[in-house]
Structures are given as C-alpha cells and as structure tokens.
C-alpha cells in the first residue's frame, strides 16, 4: 500500500472515530500497527482536521454565543468552556512535559478500550436513574477538563468519551447537552494541541531526524478527517436524541478483547 493511500485511510479513520466514544487515538495507533507508524505531529494535526468539522457543525451555536455576550447565560456558558479548557491546559501541559503517559502499544490500548466500555455502561445506568438535566455546572466544566487530561495519559480512553460520561456522572444527564459541551470544549483544546505540536516540531529542527514531515500526505489526511468528521458529528447528534451510547460500549469491549486475544505479547 502506498504512503499516500495509507495517509488517506488514516484521515478517514480519524474523522469517523474522533467524536464517537471509541477512541480515535487508539484506532489510529492500532491502524498504524499495520499501515506504518506516523509522527506525533501527523496524529495531532489530523485530529485538528476533525475539530474543524466540529467548528463547521456548530457554527451557528458558536456565532450565537459570540454575538450574544450581553446575555448572562451566554457569558456563563462561555466561561465554563474556558474553565474546562484551562483545567486541561494547566494540568495537561505539566503532565506532557513530565512524560506521564502509557506506551503507545496495542496492549494498553486494548485494556483502555475495555475499561472505557465498562465506564460507558456505568455512566449510562447512573444517568438513567436521574432526571434528564441539561445544566452544565462549574463542577461539570472542571471535571470535563480533568477527563480530557486523563484521556491524554491513557491512549485508547477517548477524549470525547471520557469527558461526555464524566459530565453525565457529574449531573448533566441529558446526552445531547453533555455531548455538545464536550465538543465545544474540544475546539480550543485540540487546536491548542495542534499548535503546540507544530511549535515543538519547528523548535526541534523541523523533524530533521526523520527526514522531514510529508506535508502533502498530512494535508490529504487533514482534509479527509475534516470531511468524514463533519458527517460523523451530524449523524451522532441525531442518533443520541433517541439512543444510548451502550452500543459503543459493546464495540469497545469486543474490540479490546479481540486485540488481547489475537495480538502477540508485547505488541
């Protein structure tokens, strides 16, 4: 398989999985086990392509928030988005600099997929026993930020999944409200992560050790992730109005078990 086709497939995979609670990072690392490893820059920037899709899907909501700052409700909501982002940045940056993360091998990802599936089932059961609240509290905002950091430490956890179900457990029982808030928090979070990755890349001499980044392939994967991400988000926001996230939990657990059974030790 050519490198260009592999990059295209990875972009499509990123767009389809970034917003579903099944871990885009985990799926990318698993795919790269067979398609060939890519740089951290590649993985983070194509995630930004998927986040661009979120910006397009929620453009009307973002515009309403930006132009409605005279309304206290909008100011408070934006403040909570900012709080979640700041928690992620202030806690996540030191964690990244200290190198606190599991190795990006398939076995830890498989375990994270299984544990994440159990987490989804638990969160859904707890939320089902509560009144369907759409309120985003300051506590929810802070815990969403911490959940994003946790997902960064454990590849395969799913940033969106960890944050959505943390919000549901913390009191935002309405799936659509929790999902929208997490997706909006993801816009500054992932764009900041991509900017940081680019800064690291150029400060290290533009990847001279690896012969430089394949920018054409990166651009192709970015566009593919944006297009498929847009479709995935539109579908998911409609799906969760009538359905639970439990099927995704079943998928995570089945995939995790399959990987542990079929992959060689240490993979």
């Amino acid at each position: 398989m050519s490198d260009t086709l592999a990059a295209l497939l990875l972009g499509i995979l990123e767009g389809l999985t970034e917003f579903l609670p099944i871990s885009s990072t985990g799926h990318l690392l698993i795919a790269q086990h067979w398609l060939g490893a890519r740089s951290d820059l590649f993985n983070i920037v194509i995630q930004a392509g998927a986040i661009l899709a979120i910006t397009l899907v929620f453009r009307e909501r973002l515009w309403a928030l930006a132009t409605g700052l005279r309304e206290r409700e909008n100011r408070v909501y934006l403040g909570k988005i900012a709080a979640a982002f700041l928690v992620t940045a202030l806690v996540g940056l030191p964690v990244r600099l200290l190198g606190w993360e599991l190795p990006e091998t398939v076995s830890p990802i498989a375990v994270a997929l299984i544990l994440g599936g159990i987490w989804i089932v638990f969160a859904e059961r707890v939320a089902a026993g509560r009144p369907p609240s759409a309120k985003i509290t300051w506590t929810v905002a802070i815990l969403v930020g911490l959940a994003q950091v946790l997902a960064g430490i454990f590849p395969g956890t799913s940033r969106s999944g960890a944050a959505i179900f943390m919000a549901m457990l913390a009191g935002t029982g309405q799936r659509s409200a929790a999902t929208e808030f997490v997706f909006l928090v993801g816009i500054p979070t992932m764009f900041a992560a991509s900017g940081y990755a680019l800064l690291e890349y150029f400060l290290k001499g533009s990847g001279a050790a690896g012969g430089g980044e394949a920018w054409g392939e990166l651009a192709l994967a970015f566009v593919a992730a944006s297009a498929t991400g847009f479709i995935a988000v539109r579908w998911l926001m409609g799906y969760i109005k009538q359905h639970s996230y439990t099927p995704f939990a079943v998928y995570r657990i089945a995939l995790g078990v399959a990987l542990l059974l079929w992959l060689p030790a240490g993979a």
Side-chain angles (χ1 to χ4, degrees):
M1 181 182 296
S2 70
D3 289 342
T4 300
L5 178 57
L8 175 62
L9 292 176
L10 289 171
I12 293 172
L13 181 64
E14 163 61 27
L16 291 175
T17 59
E18 175 63 35
F19 308 107
L20 305 182
I22 56 177
S23 177
S24 61
T25 301
H27 278 74
L28 283 176
L29 292 173
I30 292 169
Q32 289 175 23
H33 188 75
W34 288 279
L35 297 177
R38 294 282 174 162
S39 67
D40 288 341
L41 177 70
F42 180 95
N43 292 333
I44 293 176
V45 169
I46 65 171
Q47 284 180 329
I51 298 300
L52 176 60
I54 277 285
T55 307
L56 295 174
V57 171
F58 288 101
R59 61 190 182 279
E60 293 181 1
R61 173 67 164 141
L62 291 169
W63 180 253
L65 288 170
T67 57
L69 292 178
R70 292 184 178 181
E71 298 180 20
R72 183 178 181 278
E73 181 180 354
N74 288 338
R75 293 197 304 272
V76 171
Y77 192 85
L78 285 172
K80 291 170 183 175
I81 291 175
F85 169 71
L86 287 174
V87 168
T88 303
L90 294 176
V91 179
L93 183 58
V95 167
R96 179 177 174 84
L97 292 175
L98 290 171
W100 291 353
E101 60 181 0
L102 289 179
E104 295 181 341
T105 53
V106 176
S107 296
I109 292 171
V111 173
L113 285 169
I114 295 170
L115 294 178
I118 297 171
W119 170 256
I120 291 174
V121 173
F122 175 71
E124 284 281 8
R125 286 185 177 274
V126 171
R130 296 174 176 171
S133 172
K135 186 176 181 180
I136 303 293
T137 65
W138 288 101
T139 299
V140 167
I142 293 170
L143 290 176
V144 163
L146 292 174
Q148 292 193 135
V149 176
L150 180 67
I153 298 173
F154 297 95
T157 302
S158 171
R159 182 200 64 81
S160 61
I164 289 168
F165 300 110
M166 181 65 79
M168 291 174 64
L169 285 172
T172 308
Q174 189 180 95
R175 295 185 196 91
S176 57
T179 302
E180 178 183 274
F181 180 74
V182 168
F183 283 177
L184 292 176
V185 171
I187 294 174
T189 300
M190 289 310 305
F191 278 144
S194 296
Y196 183 82
L198 284 169
L199 180 62
E200 279 190 323
Y201 181 85
F202 288 113
L203 288 178
K204 291 179 180 177
S206 300
E213 190 71 37
W215 294 105
E217 294 174 11
L218 180 58
L220 177 63
F222 179 92
V223 172
S226 298
T228 54
F230 183 88
I231 295 170
V233 174
R234 292 291 297 270
W235 173 82
L236 181 64
M237 294 306 295
Y239 173 86
I240 60 175
K241 291 178 180 179
Q242 301 293 333
H243 304 85
S244 75
Y245 278 109
T246 303
F248 297 105
V250 175
Y251 168 79
R252 287 181 64 110
I253 294 170
L255 178 59
V257 170
L259 289 171
L260 290 176
L261 290 175
W262 293 337
L263 284 174

